[in-house]
Amino acid sequence: MALYKSPSPLSEQARTAISATLNERLSDGLDLHSQIKVAHWNIKGPQFAALHPLFETFAVSLANHNDSIAERAVTLGGRAYGTSRHVGTHSRLPEYPQETSRDLEHVKLLAERIEVYLAGLRDSRKQVEGHQDTDTVDLFTGIITEFEKHAWFLRASLEG
């Protein structure tokens, strides 16, 4: 992939690798966003009043993070790949069972998917640390911190 001119002092080799891992996380993030929305739209049960707006909060936050990831890839001279067809073939997340309606089943499914998303973010952060790109490391760290809290909240909701 040929890179565009970038204000980054990183080497072209580093920027190519970092853009590639950013796009991997973008695919996961866009997929997770759509799965959160499916849960938000279809949730039923006693926890509806608390979880329906919570899932929307997760989705809005993730949409902003996805935008930051895409823009970082482009800032480094790469491209951002995010069509639904691209995401469908590149996301590491399992498909969401769209017939799910029960509140705590959605909680479990989203917790599992957020944990897959987090694992990808941690892998990418480690790779980016090797290129000494502290700005992208910071981006990933902020997302990890927030979504670890979301995963914790969901898992705590399942404790009984």
Side-chain angles (χ1 to χ4, degrees):
M1 155 175 78
L3 295 180
Y4 295 106
K5 186 166 175 46
S6 170
S8 172
L10 296 168
S11 71
E12 186 168 330
Q13 177 187 5
R15 291 186 295 121
T16 298
I18 295 164
S19 293
T21 201
L22 283 161
N23 271 289
E24 291 169 359
R25 299 301 64 83
L26 181 60
S27 287
D28 290 353
L30 290 168
D31 190 12
L32 180 58
H33 180 268
S34 70
Q35 293 189 28
I36 292 169
K37 292 300 289 188
V38 166
H40 169 78
W41 296 323
N42 292 299
I43 189 169
K44 305 275 188 275
Q47 300 298 317
F48 172 86
L51 295 173
H52 182 75
L54 180 69
F55 292 170
E56 181 64 13
T57 299
F58 292 175
V60 169
S61 173
L62 186 54
N64 288 326
H65 290 310
N66 288 337
D67 195 55
S68 295
I69 287 171
E71 288 175 351
R72 182 66 183 156
V74 174
T75 298
L76 292 174
R79 296 180 185 273
Y81 299 103
T83 65
S84 58
R85 287 182 184 99
H86 180 88
V87 169
T89 59
H90 289 84
S91 174
R92 294 173 26 163
L93 276 65
E95 178 60 81
Y96 199 86
Q98 296 189 72
E99 297 303 315
T100 304
S101 63
R102 298 305 301 165
D103 48 10
L104 293 182
E105 186 62 19
H106 282 297
V107 168
K108 177 181 175 290
L109 291 168
L110 290 181
E112 291 167 356
R113 279 146 182 82
I114 288 172
E115 289 163 1
V116 171
Y117 177 62
L118 285 166
L121 287 167
R122 289 185 195 103
D123 290 346
S124 289
R125 180 175 62 182
K126 185 173 181 115
Q127 179 184 347
V128 170
E129 285 171 340
H131 293 290
Q132 299 178 352
D133 178 4
T134 55
D135 300 321
T136 304
V137 168
D138 287 350
L139 173 63
F140 285 144
T141 299
I143 300 167
I144 290 166
T145 301
E146 181 178 340
F147 274 81
E148 281 180 344
K149 186 169 104 175
H150 295 332
W152 163 76
F153 185 91
L154 294 172
R155 288 290 183 198
S157 299
L158 295 171
E159 296 291 322

